[in-house]
Structure formats: structure tokens, C-alpha cells
Amino acid sequence: MESCSPAHCVLILLIITFTAVYVSAVSLVRVKLHDSATLPCSETCSGLVRWTEFSKPTDALAECDQTSCRSVKEGYQMIHDQYLKGDFSLTITDADYSKMSTYTCECGNSELCDVELRVADTPEAWNNISGSSHTKGMSHGAPQASVPGWATALILLTVAVVILVLVLVFFMRSHNQTIESIKSEQLLKSEQINRIEKTLTDKLASLESTGKQNSEQINSIEKTLKEKLASLERTVEQNRVQIKSTEDTLKKRLDSLEKTGKQNSEQNSEQIKSTEKTLKEKLDSLEKTGKQNSEQNSEQIKSTEKTLKEKLASLERTVEQNHELIKSTEDTLKKSLDSLEKTGKQNSEQINSIEKTLKEKLASLERSVVQNRDQIKSTEDFYKKKPDSMEKTGSRN
């Protein structure tokens, strides 16, 4: 078991000493069972004096002032004449074991006397109770004189000052121990920092070796990427050549389509003119023949002439629409070629798809031109047959 520190030992010794001194200041009165007991107290007080039990400081037993004395609790009394002379003694009329206690005499809020009462049925029994916690080391005899209140206060103040000094010494020692603990912690931290620094140095060396290996891998990867980049550039060049070839092919097809459209337009215009000329001749012939026919035939001829004119106008509009369709197709092809030039460098598959679509559109346009040509021919045959039928009808009429 560890021994106490010097400061702690001095503190304990002083507390025991001053406690013994304080306890020795308490008067001791011994009486026989059921005898009357007088608790002495001779002090100076011009105000209210009262007696209480030490353990019950709020419950008054008896009290006196300049006018009279009162027994607050039965069995306890004070004498007014003695009070006026400065004798504040308390008389207990019937002392029994329940009244064994320490009693305090107070003047206002100041404590004047502390008296301990002990009761025994025989004088020999007093020795059996003299070893209690309140033993003062007094001989059997008359009660001791009370200690003045200022002496008690001085003792308490001295104890408080000594305790304060010892507390300060204790805290100073604790502070020194804390500083030593902080120094030891700092020493441990510095050792830890050194170990960490060593570990980091080792890791840095390991990272440098790893970095060299990674640099070699990076050089190898860079070389591979350069080769792939060169391969991609060759592929892009090939695609560019292919795009240029496709563009030339589309331009040739467009020129061919323009020539074919112009030829079809010239042929259609010549056919229309020839048909118009033939129809006009037929109409002139019908007019000459119609003059000889009846009014009904003339009306029928006019109606037929009107119908023919409407058919001719419709045919002219159809030809004009064909011209517009050819022009629109030409514009669409030019736009597609421009778009193809922009996007063909990035995606050769899209170029093939556009080329396929253009081929399909060209084929569809060619089929549309053939259908229009067949329709024009069919219309021409129809109008050729119509005047012949009208001539036959006119001759019959």
C-alpha cells in the first residue's frame, strides 16, 4: 500500500488536531438518572438567548430576553434573574437517557456555549460511556468552563487557511504532475513521429521504385497507342478516299439524272406540242364538220372541246409538276451530297446507307418518270381515239 504524500499527511494531522481542540471546547456535565441537571453558560448578550439541541438547531428548548424567560419545551427552563446577571444556564428538571445530547446556547445568530449532557444510573457507569466520539479527556468533577465564540471562530479560520494552503499545494503538485505527464506524452509523440517519418521514408522509396515500373508500363502503353493512332489515321485516309470516290460517283449520277430529266422534259414538251397541234387540227376539222351537223351535235362538240381543253391544261400542269419534282429531287440530292461531305469523314457506314438511299430514290424517280411517260402516252392515245369517235358520230349525224 502506498504511503501518503507529505502534504496529505500534514493535512490529515492538522484536521485531527484542530478537531480535538474544538471538541475539547465543549463542556461536559454528568448527572444521575432522573436528577436535575444544570448546563452552564456565562457570556454577555443583551438580546434573545435560547437553548437548542446541537442536532436540532431550529427547535428551541428555552429562551430569555430583557423582559422574561420562557420554557418552549417541557422539562427545560431558564431563570430571568440569572439572565440579567449574565448567567444563561439551562436547567433540565428530569434527566433521562433520551436527553443525553449536546446542547447549544445562542445569542441571536451567534453561538455562545456548547455543553454535553451524560446520564448514568451509577457513577461507575460513567466510565463505560466515556469512550464515545465526544470524549474530551476530562476528569470526573465539576463541568469545564465554556470557550468564547471568538476563539472558536479563530480556530475554524485557522483550519480553513491551513486547508486552503494545503489545497493550493495539492493543486500545484497536480499541476507539476500534469506538466510532467504532458512532457512524457510529447516525448512519446516525438518518438511516434520519428517512427512515422521512417515509415513514410520507406514507403516513399517503395513508391519511387513502383513509379519507375509504372513509367516503363506507361511508355509501353504510349507506344501501343501511337501504333493504334497511326492505324486509325490510315483507316481515316482510306475512308476519305472511299468518300471522295462515292462523291464522284454520285455527282456523275446526278449529272446523268439532270441530262435525262432535260431530255425527258424536251421529249415531253415536243410530245405535248405535237399532241396539241394534232388536237387543234382535229378540232378545226370537227368545227368544219360540226357546222354541217345539227345544233345537238354542235353542243356535243363544244362540250367535247371544253373537255379536251381541260385535259390539255391538266396535262400541262402534270408536266409542270414533273419539272418541279425533278428540280426538287435535284436540290435534295445536292443537300444530301453536302451533308454527306460533312458527315462522311466520321462514319463510313452512314455514307454507305445514304448512298443506298440515294440509289433507291434515283430508281424510284426513274420509275416515276417512266410512269409519267406511260401516262402521257396513254392520255395521247385516249385523245387520239376520242376525235376519231367524234368524227364517226358526226358523219353518222
Side-chain angles (χ1 to χ4, degrees):
M1 181 177 180
E2 294 183 358
S3 61
C4 65
S5 64
H8 290 169
C9 291
V10 172
L11 177 61
I12 294 171
L13 182 59
L14 287 172
I15 290 173
I16 293 173
T17 302
F18 284 105
T19 302
V21 171
Y22 175 74
V23 172
S24 66
V26 179
S27 299
L28 179 61
V29 176
R30 295 186 179 92
V31 296
K32 290 182 180 181
L33 184 63
H34 301 302
D35 284 351
S36 64
T38 300
L39 306 182
C41 183
S42 297
E43 293 290 340
T44 301
C45 180
S46 60
L48 177 66
V49 176
R50 67 172 188 167
W51 281 87
T52 61
E53 286 190 49
F54 184 80
S55 60
K56 300 176 181 178
T58 58
D59 297 337
L61 302 175
E63 57 187 15
C64 280
D65 55 20
Q66 294 294 328
T67 59
S68 64
C69 291
R70 292 169 295 281
S71 295
V72 180
K73 189 174 182 180
E74 186 179 355
Y76 301 91
Q77 64 181 6
M78 295 176 68
I79 299 172
H80 190 259
D81 291 339
Q82 293 179 353
Y83 166 79
L84 294 177
K85 295 177 182 179
D87 184 3
F88 306 142
S89 298
L90 175 68
T91 301
I92 300 174
T93 58
D94 185 8
D96 55 19
Y97 294 119
S98 64
K99 295 177 181 177
M100 289 178 60
S101 179
T102 300
Y103 295 87
T104 302
C105 180
E106 297 177 349
C107 177
N109 294 326
S110 300
E111 185 178 314
L112 300 178
C113 303
D114 289 325
V115 183
E116 182 181 355
L117 175 64
R118 294 187 183 181
V119 179
D121 54 354
T122 61
E124 290 79 7
W126 289 341
N127 296 326
N128 295 331
I129 61 174
S130 61
S132 65
S133 61
H134 298 90
T135 299
K136 311 300 181 299
M138 297 183 62
S139 62
H140 303 286
Q144 296 178 356
S146 62
V147 178
W150 62 267
T152 302
L154 180 61
I155 292 170
L156 293 176
L157 180 61
T158 306
V159 172
V161 170
V162 172
I163 292 174
L164 179 61
V165 171
L166 291 175
V167 168
L168 291 174
V169 171
F170 172 74
F171 278 111
M172 289 294 294
R173 188 173 179 221
S174 300
H175 181 66
N176 293 331
Q177 290 178 352
T178 304
I179 292 174
E180 291 178 358
S181 176
I182 291 172
K183 288 181 179 179
S184 62
E185 289 179 358
Q186 289 179 351
L187 183 61
L188 290 174
K189 287 182 179 179
S190 64
E191 292 177 355
Q192 290 178 354
I193 290 170
N194 292 331
R195 287 198 297 270
I196 292 170
E197 185 177 357
K198 183 178 179 182
T199 304
L200 290 175
T201 304
D202 296 337
K203 287 186 177 180
L204 182 61
S206 176
L207 287 173
E208 287 177 354
S209 61
T210 305
K212 290 180 180 179
Q213 295 176 359
N214 290 335
S215 63
E216 293 176 357
Q217 292 179 355
I218 290 170
N219 292 330
S220 176
I221 293 170
E222 185 178 1
K223 183 178 179 181
T224 304
L225 289 175
K226 286 181 179 179
E227 293 176 355
K228 288 185 177 180
L229 181 62
S231 176
L232 287 173
E233 288 177 353
R234 289 193 297 271
T235 304
V236 169
E237 188 65 26
Q238 292 175 0
N239 290 334
R240 191 177 298 163
V241 173
Q242 185 178 1
I243 290 168
K244 188 174 182 180
S245 175
T246 305
E247 183 180 355
D248 294 338
T249 304
L250 290 174
K251 285 182 178 179
K252 291 178 181 179
R253 285 188 174 273
L254 182 61
D255 295 337
S256 175
L257 184 62
E258 290 177 353
K259 292 178 181 179
T260 304
K262 290 180 180 180
Q263 291 176 0
N264 290 334
S265 177
E266 292 176 357
Q267 291 177 1
N268 289 335
S269 61
E270 291 176 358
Q271 289 178 358
I272 290 169
K273 289 179 179 179
S274 175
T275 304
E276 185 178 358
K277 183 178 180 180
T278 304
L279 289 174
K280 285 183 179 180
E281 293 175 356
K282 292 288 185 179
L283 286 173
D284 293 336
S285 176
L286 286 173
E287 286 176 357
K288 293 178 181 179
T289 307
K291 291 179 181 179
Q292 300 174 0
N293 295 330
S294 62
E295 292 180 357
Q296 294 179 353
N297 289 334
S298 64
E299 290 178 359
Q300 185 177 5
I301 290 169
K302 288 179 180 180
S303 175
T304 302
E305 184 179 359
K306 184 178 179 181
T307 302
L308 289 172
K309 288 181 178 180
E310 290 176 355
K311 292 288 185 179
L312 284 172
S314 175
L315 186 61
E316 289 177 353
R317 286 194 299 271
T318 301
V319 172
E320 186 66 27
Q321 289 176 358
N322 287 334
H323 279 294
E324 292 178 356
L325 179 61
I326 291 169
K327 188 175 181 180
S328 175
T329 303
E330 182 179 353
D331 294 338
T332 302
L333 288 172
K334 287 182 179 180
K335 291 178 181 179
S336 297
L337 284 172
D338 294 337
S339 175
L340 185 62
E341 288 177 356
K342 293 178 181 179
T343 59
K345 294 179 181 180
Q346 299 177 356
N347 196 342
S348 60
E349 293 181 357
Q350 187 177 2
I351 292 171
N352 294 330
S353 175
I354 294 172
E355 183 179 0
K356 183 177 179 181
T357 304
L358 290 174
K359 288 180 179 179
E360 291 176 355
K361 286 185 178 181
L362 287 172
S364 175
L365 185 61
E366 290 175 356
R367 288 194 297 271
S368 177
V369 170
V370 172
Q371 290 176 359
N372 289 333
R373 191 182 300 163
D374 294 338
Q375 186 177 2
I376 291 169
K377 187 175 181 181
S378 175
T379 304
E380 182 179 356
D381 293 338
F382 172 77
Y383 283 122
K384 284 182 179 179
K385 292 178 181 178
K386 194 74 175 178
D388 293 338
S389 176
M390 291 176 64
E391 287 178 359
K392 290 180 182 179
T393 303
S395 63
R396 289 177 183 174
N397 292 330

